[in-house]
Amino acid sequence: MDRTMWKVNIRANHVFLSTVDVTLDPDTAHPNLILSEDGKQVIFGDVWQDLPYNPERFDTCVSVLGKEGFSSGRFYYDVQVKGKTRWTIGVARESINRKGKITVSPENGYRTLWLRNGEYKALSGLSVPLSLREKPKKVGVFVDYEEGHVSFYNVEARSHIYSFTGYTFTEKLYPYFGPCLIDGGKNSAPLIITPVDITDFHIKH
């Protein structure tokens, strides 16, 4: 095995051994979002639900966080984005603002990837356009808390998409999900947290 492939396999093992069982937190969900009973799927609904106006809940930004927060080590999860025309996924720090207009950026506590109008971008201060050979149907999110980086992968293509690096995390990070508006019915597919498949872990870097 050459050194490059060895490094890829070591990274793949780190990712797989860091898999976590993520579920959506209904107490953070914007009132238009509909969560599945098992907490694994989220879609935008036409009806504003009469939900408690608690501090944790997003009231303008169509978003929801995972229940589980992480303040050490590594964690990884997969999100199915198949059939969607718009989405934002990644991680957010615990102290993010949940009310009013929100700018999703590292300065405001987010490390995210998004799709809008057929264009993929990493929201890294000024957004970074991404030229992807294959449109991801499933995106893997990998966080190394101590190393201060967040990486995104095209799971089915087994390829790296983008990494945020060189950060110092000082508080809990939560998985972040933005399914966006339904875009005239074109974006009605849900975001789905899917089980991690060990056969996906020979990632090309």
Side-chain angles (χ1 to χ4, degrees):
M1 179 184 295
D2 64 36
R3 187 170 180 80
T4 300
M5 184 58 69
W6 178 81
K7 287 181 179 179
V8 170
N9 283 340
I10 290 297
R11 179 176 294 275
N13 286 336
H14 282 171
V15 171
F16 179 70
L17 293 174
S18 306
T19 58
V20 291
D21 183 18
V22 174
T23 55
L24 302 169
D25 184 354
D27 290 336
T28 68
H30 181 279
N32 273 110
L33 293 182
I34 300 172
L35 277 56
S36 61
E37 289 188 10
D38 64 359
K40 299 294 185 181
Q41 302 187 32
V42 56
I43 59 172
F44 182 86
D46 291 331
V47 178
W48 177 281
Q49 302 171 84
D50 186 16
L51 300 173
Y53 191 76
N54 51 290
E56 298 84 10
R57 189 178 308 284
F58 292 95
D59 68 346
T60 302
C61 188
V62 184
S63 306
V64 60
L65 299 179
K67 280 186 179 181
E68 302 80 7
F70 303 89
S71 56
S72 64
R74 304 182 180 101
F75 62 96
Y76 175 89
Y77 57 96
D78 284 340
V79 185
Q80 180 176 303
V81 297
K82 180 180 178 181
K84 296 190 65 61
T85 59
R86 301 164 64 91
W87 48 261
T88 306
I89 59 175
V91 295
R93 69 188 181 206
E94 187 171 30
S95 64
I96 55 167
N97 177 34
R98 321 284 177 93
K99 307 301 182 186
K101 184 178 179 180
I102 295 171
T103 300
V104 179
S105 68
E107 292 74 21
N108 291 331
Y110 298 84
R111 310 292 187 277
T112 58
L113 193 72
W114 82 352
L115 169 66
R116 298 288 191 282
N117 302 317
E119 296 182 341
Y120 297 89
K121 293 183 179 181
L123 302 187
S124 179
L126 295 175
S127 59
V128 178
L130 302 172
S131 180
L132 305 183
R133 293 181 180 178
E134 299 178 74
K135 296 180 180 180
K137 297 178 181 178
K138 187 185 297 184
V139 176
V141 184
F142 175 61
V143 179
D144 189 321
Y145 193 95
E146 279 73 26
E147 291 295 324
H149 75 245
V150 180
S151 296
F152 297 88
Y153 298 94
N154 182 332
V155 175
E156 293 188 340
R158 301 179 182 180
S159 60
H160 175 252
I161 297 174
Y162 185 84
S163 289
F164 294 86
T165 60
Y167 293 93
T168 300
F169 299 130
T170 59
E171 56 186 277
K172 279 187 177 181
L173 298 177
Y174 288 82
Y176 173 86
F177 307 86
C180 300
L181 306 181
I182 59 175
D183 193 18
K186 293 183 291 185
N187 192 40
S188 58
L191 284 177
I192 305 174
I193 303 166
T194 61
V196 174
D197 186 345
I198 190 172
T199 62
D200 291 329
F201 280 93
H202 296 291
I203 296 169
K204 294 180 287 187
H205 216 70

